[in-house]
Amino acid sequence: MMKTRTLCCAAGLLLLAGCRSEQPVRPKELRCENLTDPLAIDSARPHFSWKTDAGGDFRQSGYEIRVAADSTELLGEGAGLWNSGRVASGASVLVPYEGRPLASPSLAYWKVRVWDDAGRVSAWSAIRRFGVGILEPSGWTGDWIGLPGTECPLLRRRFEAADTERTHLLHVASLGYHEVYVNGRKVSDRVLAPAVSELGKRALSVTYDITSLLAEGRNEVVVWLGPGWYRRDTFRDALTDGPFVNVRLDEIAPEGPRTLLVSDTSWQGGESGYTPTPSATWRPLAFGGECVDGSWVPADLTPETLDGRTWRPVATARLSGLKISPQMCEPNVVRDTLRPRSLRRVADSVWVADMGREFNGWIELRMTGLKKGQRIAIDYSDWTNDDGSYRPQENNSNFEDLYIASGEGTEVFRNRFDHHAFQYLRIRGLAEEPAMLAGYAIQGGYADASTFECSDTDLNAIYDMVEYTLRNLAFGGYVVDCPHLERMGYGGDGNASCRTFQTLFDAAPLYMNWLQMWADCIRDDGGMPHNVPNPYPAGGGPYWCGFLITASWQTYLNYGDFRPVERYYPVMQRWLEYVDRYTVDGLLGRWPDTDYRGWYLGDWLAPEGVDYTAQESVDLVSNCYLCECLDALSKMAALLGREEEAARYGERLQALRTRIGEKFYDPETARYATGSQIDQIYPMLAGVTASEEVPKVTQRLFRETRERLGGHIGCGLVGVTVLTDWAIREGQADFVCSMLRKRDVPGYLAMIDRGATTTWEHWAGDRSRIHNCFNGIGAWFVQALGGIRPDERDPGYRHILFRPQTPAGIRWVRATKETPYGTAAIDWEIAEGRFAADIVVPANSTATFFLPDGVRTCELDGRTTETPDGRVALAAGRHTLACATGHGSR
């Protein structure tokens, strides 16, 4: 049985590795600024990345990039903007452009070919394109326009297009969400565009290629707006509750772009039939919903239909000091369509639907036989009562949608500029069963980057739940705490899930957007908020405020993306100067609450009975986190060539470690602070604990977990991630498995056994049941059981560490990790005292495999190999490895 399964897996890995020798080598998956064919990037000096479609031991020795303003140039030998020539380099991730200066805005095309280490050249890649966006304020020559008193207006303008063979790019910057239509057709499958930004300081622009929608002569563009975050209740800089937009349309010509249209007073505006519900303040627990008046919603957006409606002149707004920059992350898209698992009448004209699983997004409801003016209300919930009946969400009336019937034919309610997170919904005021009900799951357009499966189905279920949760929490260019109650990009939640999210998803652009928001939020005195966007104060602590530092480092480590380090290092330093003002006797203490930030936390939402609010624990956790910040800053300073600063941060780190030990550690009891799981683990993770004390501290941790916690997880949002990171590093897979296999509260299986499809905010299930609280465990499955980890000395998985851990009860593991160089994979199994693995190392990467503890001999690709340190070097390609199981594997 084992042999059959291994052979099947080996065959799959062979295909995954692309090992058919007859296939030509060819660069693939070309990206500019980590985006595929971006029409508007935020820099005139782009970076190019590619993977190599090659099997076997492929190692790139050189590359050649050609860039031109016209794609036809690249069909021959032309490269009017840049011909790099053959560059002797193995680089293939974020290679900087070094050609002629690129104009703003402009459109360009590129291709690449590579050489292997034997000097053989590949075929040219396919030709891809990229655009430089509008980078200077002077490029936005139009006005900010809107329609006073109307929160979801339709804005329209006709224009002439003489040459529809040329590319036409429409640049749209909106304060609030927008949808764009040309000649009645929607220009993109994007939804809830643009991504979120700190709207008091920055608006994001989205660029659309509308060429295929144009007709020669007269055309019409319609921009449909919704307020989203842009409200007086959220951003004080908002002038009204109505959104605004700035538009520019360019025809791309050889001599440069020709502007055909801008937003100004020549545009007209009208009602759309959509408005936010009165409760939609977009403050916590009050995001409201949408009210749709069926008598006013246009049947379509063609010029003929719109001509029959009432229009009036738009108004302009003067918005000084507001930056406009291109959106540099994946758009929101509808990723899945759900049909209800059940739909039942529970009272007269009241229906309840179960969509089968929790998700974030929209609904579409089709109804017949309605009377004019009839009102249909829809509300949403995570919950049912114990008897299975509908249980309203907290503050449920603040989240409902409303449809007002026209009384004509089949009528449709569909969300457009708001969204909900729910599994259950209730429809009130509808006498007959809906003709159709569908849910549309909205997520960011990032790609999956890992798979995991093992012999323990419970562990598989936990991994799947964490992965699905994070998929629903990442949209709008950041990761929210929950999509329905707060929608906040908390720094604490972000830090706690960063390693997991970046392991599970290919989402470097999301972090570029999110980190930009944090940089925009720093105050004049260097203070940082706890959340972005930051329209109102929210709770947290140092672990929340320092997100810019630790997430920038993780983005470099996991994606090889150095841009956040270059851009935001000075901002990081300013925040550290703020920290210094509240450091007394070498330790960070509590800083004051402000009008943009409150509370001062260590861990958050640990299980009942664990006092995570004890000041001693809060101070220990905060200072251990500061160790992580200083460590990351020291490394980033060295990368930037700031050696003196790197040394200074390193010295401060060592001094802080010493002070933490002196203040919080009792050597007689081997206890830190309160002795909780996070208090015992974080000093070891942060390098505070002396090596000779580690065994005693660890044994106390195990004893406390066994005796006080009944073998359960005993920490919360911060602590779960601290536990995970330490367990991955120290090979404590048996300890983690023993806690994950608990079926009662607190535990992930307790959630699953109670019907959860997403992780909860509280271990016991209070308040939100789709939340970014305990998802830090997700990285453990791929990085510990799968053993696939990045190497910070050669980041972005250029060099891969394969270090699988083999806890008791796990017979086999299959895991993959999509890296910037290709897919890394492992399929291992233990049987009859032997460990056997099939391993794939991506082209242009190398790897090191760590044998189980105490093992120094293995069979690698059919040959006996001995290694004095238990480490086996692996070249790109597919490998088989077998050895004794030893005493465990780290």
Side-chain angles (χ1 to χ4, degrees):
M1 186 71 177
M2 173 189 172
K3 183 177 180 181
T4 301
R5 197 186 72 80
T6 303
L7 287 173
C8 290
C9 294
L13 289 170
L14 273 168
L15 292 174
L16 183 62
C19 289
R20 290 183 295 171
S21 59
E22 68 270 16
Q23 291 183 335
V25 173
R26 184 185 182 93
K28 63 177 183 176
E29 297 183 37
L30 275 62
R31 293 186 181 183
C32 175
E33 299 295 85
N34 272 332
L35 295 166
T36 302
D37 293 337
L39 292 174
I41 60 173
D42 65 351
S43 170
R45 190 169 182 259
H47 298 80
F48 302 113
S49 304
W50 60 90
K51 298 176 184 177
T52 303
D53 188 4
D57 182 6
F58 178 86
R59 189 76 172 170
Q60 178 185 303
S61 65
Y63 66 81
E64 180 179 0
I65 300 173
R66 294 187 184 180
V67 184
D70 189 328
S71 61
T72 58
E73 283 189 65
L74 297 180
L75 296 175
E77 296 299 314
L81 293 173
W82 184 37
N83 184 343
S84 71
R86 180 176 176 177
V87 179
S89 171
S92 61
V93 174
L94 295 169
V95 176
Y97 174 81
E98 296 179 352
R100 293 172 53 189
L102 298 173
S104 166
S106 62
L107 191 63
Y109 300 83
W110 71 290
K111 65 180 181 179
V112 62
R113 62 178 175 177
V114 297
W115 282 262
D116 66 12
D117 52 7
R120 294 171 296 213
V121 66
S122 75
W124 282 104
S125 70
I127 297 171
R128 312 303 302 190
R129 69 175 177 172
F130 70 93
V132 176
I134 301 173
L135 304 183
E136 299 299 328
S138 59
W140 290 97
T141 54
D143 299 314
W144 287 101
I145 60 173
L147 199 64
T150 304
E151 293 182 275
C152 297
L154 294 167
L155 308 181
R156 66 189 299 221
R157 175 68 153 78
R158 287 183 175 159
F159 64 95
E160 298 289 323
D163 187 350
T164 57
E165 296 297 316
R166 288 181 174 174
T167 301
H168 287 68
L169 298 181
L170 183 70
H171 307 276
V172 181
S174 62
L175 295 167
Y177 292 132
H178 70 258
E179 292 183 354
V180 181
Y181 298 79
V182 171
N183 297 329
R185 290 183 286 173
K186 195 168 185 284
V187 303
S188 169
D189 63 356
R190 293 173 183 250
V191 298
L192 299 174
V196 177
S197 62
E198 188 66 15
L199 288 171
K201 296 184 178 180
R202 185 186 302 271
L204 298 180
S205 64
V206 181
T207 298
Y208 303 96
D209 185 343
I210 64 170
T211 310
S212 64
L213 303 178
L214 296 178
E216 286 191 16
R218 177 165 289 191
N219 294 267
E220 181 172 79
V221 60
V222 174
V223 181
W224 195 338
L225 297 177
W229 282 102
Y230 194 70
R231 305 162 187 263
R232 282 182 175 175
D233 290 313
T234 52
F235 286 96
R236 298 186 184 97
D237 295 333
L239 300 182
T240 73
D241 280 333
F244 294 94
V245 68
N246 202 323
V247 177
R248 171 175 161 175
L249 173 62
D250 288 335
E251 176 191 282
I252 305 301
E255 62 276 12
R258 185 167 72 93
T259 301
L260 303 183
L261 172 71
V262 297
S263 47
D264 55 26
T265 55
S266 65
W267 287 59
Q268 293 182 309
E271 306 287 341
S272 68
Y274 274 69
T275 58
T277 55
S279 61
T281 64
W282 282 56
R283 294 182 72 84
L285 301 177
F287 282 89
E290 296 177 276
C291 178
V292 178
D293 189 335
S295 299
W296 276 98
V297 176
D300 56 56
L301 294 175
T302 61
E304 296 76 18
T305 296
L306 296 181
D307 283 344
R309 298 171 68 87
T310 300
W311 301 92
R312 64 182 190 269
V314 299
T316 62
R318 186 177 296 276
L319 302 174
S320 60
L322 184 70
K323 299 177 184 177
I324 304 176
S325 61
Q327 175 175 319
M328 291 300 295
C329 63
E330 303 89 340
N332 295 324
V333 294
V334 173
R335 290 283 293 263
D336 196 9
T337 299
L338 292 79
R339 300 291 181 178
R341 180 164 62 188
S342 66
L343 176 63
R344 55 195 176 92
R345 189 197 306 265
V346 297
D348 184 35
S349 298
V350 180
W351 302 81
V352 169
D354 176 357
M355 302 305 293
R357 65 180 188 267
E358 191 90 17
F359 73 101
N360 170 57
W362 293 343
I363 69 159
E364 181 175 340
L365 179 65
R366 293 182 178 266
M367 302 157 284
T368 58
L370 303 184
K371 297 178 180 179
K372 183 175 177 60
Q374 183 176 341
R375 301 168 83 86
I376 311 298
I378 310 112
D379 62 286
Y380 306 85
S381 182
D382 299 342
W383 308 75
T384 61
N385 294 308
D386 291 341
D387 63 1
S389 60
Y390 185 79
R391 176 178 175 178
Q393 187 75 44
E394 179 183 3
N395 284 43
N396 199 50
S397 61
N398 286 346
F399 295 93
E400 72 176 16
D401 291 318
L402 181 65
Y403 181 78
I404 304 172
S406 67
E408 298 180 3
T410 299
E411 306 200 40
V412 180
F413 170 85
R414 180 175 170 136
N415 295 109
R416 190 175 298 273
F417 295 123
D418 205 340
H419 54 97
H420 305 277
F422 62 100
Q423 179 170 339
Y424 308 95
L425 63 93
R426 180 172 58 180
I427 307 165
R428 290 168 290 149
L430 185 62
E432 300 298 327
E433 182 174 335
M436 190 275 278
L437 173 62
Y440 300 108
I442 294 174
Q443 299 160 13
Y446 47 84
D448 297 341
S450 72
T451 63
F452 173 84
E453 186 181 10
C454 74
S455 58
D456 188 318
T457 56
D458 284 337
L459 295 185
N460 295 339
I462 296 171
Y463 172 86
D464 291 344
M465 179 173 65
V466 169
E467 190 268 350
Y468 180 69
T469 302
L470 290 174
R471 184 188 301 284
N472 280 278
L473 298 179
F475 58 94
Y478 68 135
V479 182
V480 299
D481 63 328
C482 58
H484 47 350
L485 303 183
E486 295 184 67
R487 299 181 189 172
M488 285 284 99
Y490 281 102
D493 305 46
N495 269 326
S497 62
C498 188
R499 182 198 291 260
T500 289
F501 194 89
Q502 294 191 355
T503 299
L504 270 55
F505 300 103
D506 183 4
L510 179 146
Y511 282 86
M512 289 299 294
N513 185 75
W514 199 1
L515 292 166
Q516 178 175 262
M517 293 165 68
W518 282 94
D520 283 345
C521 280
I522 194 168
R523 273 33 183 200
D524 292 340
D525 64 355
M528 276 287 194
H530 293 144
N531 60 300
V532 296
N534 184 227
Y536 38 74
Y543 189 82
W544 280 249
C545 297
F547 178 79
L548 186 67
I549 294 177
T550 41
S552 293
W553 174 249
Q554 285 293 318
T555 300
Y556 173 64
L557 177 63
N558 288 308
Y559 298 124
D561 193 342
F562 189 59
R563 294 173 299 162
V565 176
E566 291 180 306
R567 292 187 185 186
Y568 304 129
Y569 178 79
V571 184
M572 302 174 200
Q573 290 183 300
R574 285 176 59 198
W575 179 70
L576 198 61
E577 291 168 1
Y578 180 87
V579 169
D580 290 344
R581 289 198 285 277
Y582 299 98
T583 299
V584 179
D585 194 21
L587 292 169
L588 173 63
R590 197 190 198 289
W591 49 49
D593 293 344
T594 69
D595 62 351
Y596 63 87
R597 183 190 67 213
W599 300 6
Y600 192 86
L601 301 174
D603 203 358
W604 175 239
L605 295 181
E608 184 177 356
V610 177
D611 186 7
Y612 59 90
T613 65
Q615 194 61 52
E616 191 178 18
S617 178
V618 171
D619 289 341
L620 172 64
V621 169
S622 297
N623 280 280
C624 283
Y625 174 65
L626 187 55
C627 285
E628 290 197 76
C629 291
L630 288 169
D631 186 41
L633 269 172
S634 178
K635 293 170 181 174
M636 289 188 280
L639 290 170
L640 290 166
R642 299 171 178 257
E643 298 298 338
E644 290 185 7
E645 292 175 7
R648 186 164 66 249
Y649 289 131
E651 290 168 1
R652 290 183 56 180
L653 170 61
Q654 294 305 322
L656 179 58
R657 285 170 170 166
T658 299
R659 285 294 296 123
I660 292 172
E662 293 170 348
K663 175 70 174 179
F664 298 103
Y665 185 55
D666 180 353
E668 291 187 7
T669 61
R671 169 173 151 163
Y672 281 95
T674 69
S676 66
Q677 281 186 348
I678 191 172
D679 288 356
Q680 292 297 104
I681 295 172
Y682 215 166
M684 292 191 287
L685 180 67
V688 171
T689 310
S691 57
E692 64 272 15
E693 296 294 307
V694 167
K696 293 191 295 182
V697 175
T698 303
Q699 287 307 309
R700 176 166 187 127
L701 165 68
F702 291 163
R703 186 173 67 252
E704 294 287 307
T705 299
R706 183 176 60 253
E707 296 175 359
R708 289 184 54 203
L709 300 172
H712 287 83
I713 292 173
C715 42
L717 180 149
V718 181
V720 165
T721 298
V722 169
L723 165 64
T724 300
D725 291 353
W726 172 78
I728 291 172
R729 190 184 73 182
E730 298 301 320
Q732 294 289 349
D734 283 298
F735 180 52
V736 173
C737 277
S738 68
M739 293 185 289
L740 292 184
R741 287 169 172 152
K742 295 291 184 181
R743 305 206 81 93
D744 52 339
V745 177
Y748 298 93
L749 293 179
M751 300 180 195
I752 292 170
D753 290 347
R754 290 168 64 185
T757 56
T758 50
T759 54
W760 298 345
E761 180 179 14
H762 294 254
W763 286 112
D766 301 336
R767 196 168 179 257
S768 167
R769 293 199 170 185
I770 175 170
H771 217 90
N772 194 14
C773 210
F774 310 123
N775 296 304
I777 194 66
W780 177 82
F781 297 91
V782 177
Q783 294 199 359
L785 297 189
I788 308 173
R789 306 184 214 172
D791 181 352
E792 70 175 45
R793 293 171 299 180
D794 205 350
Y797 293 89
R798 180 67 185 273
H799 182 77
I800 302 166
L801 305 178
F802 284 96
R803 199 166 191 171
Q805 299 172 26
T806 56
I810 304 296
R811 294 180 290 105
W812 56 265
V813 168
R814 290 192 289 268
T816 67
K817 173 73 182 89
E818 188 64 27
T819 80
Y821 300 90
T823 306
I826 187 168
D827 180 347
W828 65 257
E829 184 168 16
I830 291 177
E832 300 175 358
R834 295 282 289 173
F835 173 92
D838 290 306
I839 304 160
V840 174
V841 180
N844 210 28
S845 295
T846 58
T848 298
F849 188 92
F850 290 75
L851 297 177
D853 287 349
V855 176
R856 295 294 180 265
T857 302
C858 70
E859 289 185 13
L860 177 65
D861 299 331
R863 290 192 234 174
T864 300
T865 300
E866 294 188 6
T867 170
D869 58 2
R871 303 181 182 189
V872 180
L874 301 176
R878 176 187 173 273
H879 303 276
T880 60
L881 184 146
C883 63
T885 55
H887 309 297
S889 180
R890 287 171 38 189

